Amino acid sequence: MKLPDKSTTLEEAVAAIPQGATVLVGGFGVPGTPFTLLHELARQGQRDLVLVKNDANEAGMGIDHLIASGQVRKLIVTHLGLNANAIAAMNEGKIEVEFCAQGILAERIRAGGAGLGAILTDIGIDTELANGKQVVEMDGRPMLVEPALRADVALVHAATADPFGNLAYAATARNFNPLMAMAATQVIAEAETLLPLGGLAADVVETPGAFVDQVVELTELSQEYGIVRR
Amino acid sequence: MSDARSRMVARAAREIAPGMVVNLGIGLPTKVVNYLPADFPVCLHSENGLTGIGPTLPYDKADRNLIDAGGAYVSTIPGSAFFDSAVSFALVRSGRLDLTLLGAFEVAQNGDLANWKIPGKFSPGAGGAIELAQKARRVVVMTTHCDRKGNPKLLEACTLPLTAKGRVARIYSDMAVVDVTLEGFALIELAEGVSLPELREATGAPIAIPAGDIPTF
């Protein structure tokens, strides 16, 4: 038996993203952001997108290109303090922004990837993040119902992959990537290195390829992946 | 950094006891590591998925995949571990985080903390601050005693949207070390050169003064 080959081209992979899609985007700052997939999404021009990401990158980087080109309808993020363009777009009403506590965003995505409906948590229950949310009592304590987040598409960045879609990550470039790689109908991974089947030892695989639909090998790393000198 | 701020940071570093798991907020709290001995046994946690934070590296030595939650290029030390964002906050929420040092816009005498939003002016989102403030076993604030306009940050009640309710145990400022007690603010130590009337003037709530000599830092 042999595991199926899901390697594809950048153009083909991103063409699978429909207009109006909800898209999970990996990354926390630069590490783990799938810059090449995002660039191709900007080039192909799908519009009316809902992006789910920890942050909004920085001005001129990553999802900022999609905000600038008017392709984004809504952002679900934990903060966007490093991107003045995103804050301006929010303040001018050009994009809708939903803020989520960082670990709760991670758990909502994990729940989506695990086929669950929601999680219960007291995080943010004393804050305005609780506004409009359903409250239930669990063991005598009030808990917010935080719905699972499952998306049409996930765009993730891996250090290493094989053609089946087994993925391994580098250092703090993990962040939301392993969670998002489980939580979408169409999971597209870009990888810095694509090894042949068997090249990625079973012990080091963090995302099993069974969750992944398409794998794109990066032929070069653009400047956006590099060190940011602030 | 001004002399008073350096002494505040040095004093706050004494919060960290051997063996603790600690999260340091962005800004002033990050600087306490400069006051810990190199071989001090402590596990520093970064929300983006790292325990065992090593020294910050210059750009030419940096690893593009290795940052802390504030975006600084950091390093690993023997025993460091990487993990995803769900694991990172599992650690925070489950009681494994002994201490967090956070910045503040406002702290109330009942321990309420506001540090993430100024409506109409500053609302970039809270990131991981709500979970850190709500779930760390001990929450300590490091802040200038007053804001840039000279308004007190220690108040009877917060006016800004809360980060967490009733969670702040202690405040290190450039004027004093102040505990939050069931009766409100209580002075623990004064910064050198600060008088009690000056402290009272700069504090927006009653503050209990201990009997006898007040230690300074």
Side-chain angles (χ1 to χ4, degrees), chain A residues 10-94:
Chain A
L10 179 62
E11 293 75 9
E12 253 184 36
V14 172
I17 304 174
Q19 308 278 352
T22 296
V23 184
L24 307 174
V25 183
F28 187 123
V30 167
T33 299
F35 290 110
T36 304
L37 294 174
L38 291 170
H39 251 287
E40 180 62 15
L41 181 53
R43 193 189 69 78
Q44 292 191 12
Q46 287 91 327
R47 301 185 68 83
D48 203 24
L49 302 171
V50 177
L51 300 186
V52 183
K53 193 177 183 303
N54 175 64
D55 53 86
N57 291 116
E58 296 173 53
M61 297 177 73
I63 67 166
D64 186 54
H65 298 301
L66 300 170
I67 297 170
S69 60
Q71 289 168 262
V72 180
R73 177 172 69 78
K74 178 177 176 180
L75 284 181
I76 301 176
V77 292
T78 79
H79 73 93
L80 31 74
L82 289 175
N83 187 342
N85 293 345
I87 291 176
M90 170 178 73
N91 291 342
E92 291 161 18
K94 289 179 181 163

Side-chain angles (χ1 to χ4, degrees), chain B:
Chain B
M1 236 184 335
S2 73
D3 188 44
R5 268 195 209 197
S6 306
R7 281 184 283 122
M8 160 175 82
V9 175
R11 177 63 187 85
R14 284 160 50 197
E15 271 290 329
I16 300 175
M20 277 184 164
V21 180
V22 179
N23 185 294
L24 303 173
I26 295 163
L28 277 178
T30 310
K31 301 195 188 302
V32 303
V33 292
N34 302 332
Y35 295 88
L36 295 176
D39 60 350
F40 192 88
V42 62
C43 172
L44 298 180
H45 165 260
S46 185
E47 298 97 291
N48 59 326
L50 170 62
T51 45
I53 306 176
T56 305
L57 298 176
Y59 292 125
D60 60 332
K61 297 271 195 320
D63 175 345
R64 64 186 165 86
N65 287 316
L66 182 42
I67 62 172
D68 67 13
Y73 292 99
V74 294
S75 54
T76 54
I77 53 176
S80 293
F82 299 123
F83 35 83
D84 68 44
S85 297
V87 172
S88 189
F89 281 90
L91 189 153
V92 173
R93 291 190 306 268
S94 66
R96 285 282 167 186
L97 187 66
D98 296 300
L99 172 70
T100 188
L101 270 63
L102 297 170
F105 298 152
E106 295 177 343
V107 185
Q109 61 187 357
N110 64 352
D112 288 1
L113 171 67
N115 74 351
W116 74 283
K117 184 173 184 179
I118 302 173
K121 285 187 184 168
F122 177 84
S123 56
I130 290 173
E131 285 153 294
L132 290 168
Q134 196 175 329
K135 293 298 182 182
R137 295 169 79 93
R138 180 170 166 84
V139 177
V140 167
V141 159
M142 291 179 69
T143 179
T144 56
H145 208 83
C146 296
D147 68 18
R148 282 180 193 168
K149 290 180 180 162
N151 300 311
K153 287 181 156 194
L154 279 60
L155 304 171
E156 290 187 352
C158 289
T159 65
L160 297 169
L162 292 188
T163 309
K165 214 170 187 167
R167 293 286 298 138
V168 176
R170 174 171 278 197
I171 302 142
Y172 292 93
S173 83
D174 48 354
M175 296 183 80
V177 179
V178 177
D179 270 356
V180 176
T181 71
L182 290 175
E183 286 78 43
F185 292 131
L187 178 65
I188 303 298
E189 293 177 25
L190 264 180
E192 268 176 43
V194 175
S195 70
L196 282 177
E198 283 170 339
L199 180 72
R200 282 210 175 91
E201 176 71 27
T203 306
I207 183 163
I209 310 297
D213 286 344
I214 298 164
T216 56
F217 67 96

